[in-house]
Amino acid sequence: MRRRLYFLLPDVKSARQVFKKLLLARIEDRHIFFLAKEGVELSDLPEATMLQKSDEIHGLGVGLVVGGATGALAGVVAMMFPPSGLVMGLGVILAMSLIGAIVGVWASGMIASDVPNTRLEKFSKEIESGKILLMVDIHKHQIEEITGMLREQHPDAAPRGRDPTIPAFP
């Protein structure tokens, strides 16, 4: 199980140094992400993806639940009031739930991709002032080691918390 740690770095130069230290600590680059304000060139540093910058994961989950429930409700209504001459079974509810879930995921995914990640809102002022946000996904047993290493070797890397869990795929 991994945890996501957040650190604010003063500039791109510090971000490069921290990135190298994390690689030397055997943290794979696919678990390290940087976020800077629009226009700041991160060049060789791994930039945060759209899934990390937006609330898309949360939106997809909400769309799945709401769409599936709405589809199930529509299926119940269709079963209770079937068109004349048609006999409907429980398969209608299942099919309508599936269709509702697909439409819900699609619609909410489209909307949520434009919504900034609510977990990153607390960093927005500092990012806009030129600081670089580091997000690193590490195993639980590495938290103290990595945090201590960054505090010792880069006192300008301000630890800014952690998420209790991270999404499975971004």
Side-chain angles (χ1 to χ4, degrees), residues 8-87:
L8 275 169
L9 306 167
D11 53 28
V12 176
K13 181 181 175 186
S14 293
R16 281 195 183 94
Q17 292 171 349
V18 168
F19 181 59
K20 289 176 185 174
K21 294 292 183 186
L22 290 171
L23 291 175
L24 290 173
R26 297 180 189 240
I27 307 295
E28 296 177 40
D29 60 348
R30 66 187 179 111
H31 297 294
I32 304 169
F33 313 98
F34 293 92
L35 181 62
K37 75 177 180 178
E38 193 82 23
V40 172
E41 181 61 40
L42 293 175
S43 63
D44 58 337
L45 297 175
E47 190 173 349
T49 65
M50 181 58 72
L51 288 176
Q52 292 154 341
K53 293 177 186 177
S54 70
D55 249 355
E56 189 146 7
I57 301 295
H58 179 258
L60 292 173
V62 169
L64 179 69
V65 171
V66 172
T70 303
L73 183 62
V76 168
V77 169
M79 211 169 105
M80 290 175 61
F81 306 105
S84 59
L86 284 176
V87 177

Side-chain angles (χ1 to χ4, degrees), residues 135-166:
M135 296 175 274
V136 58
D137 301 336
I138 59 174
H139 293 285
K140 284 185 347 182
H141 68 275
Q142 293 177 299
I143 291 174
E144 296 305 319
E145 172 192 347
I146 297 301
T147 303
M149 177 196 72
L150 288 177
R151 267 194 210 130
E152 180 183 312
Q153 297 179 4
H154 295 280
D156 54 349
R160 290 302 176 98
R162 63 180 131 173
D163 284 343
T165 59
I166 60 167

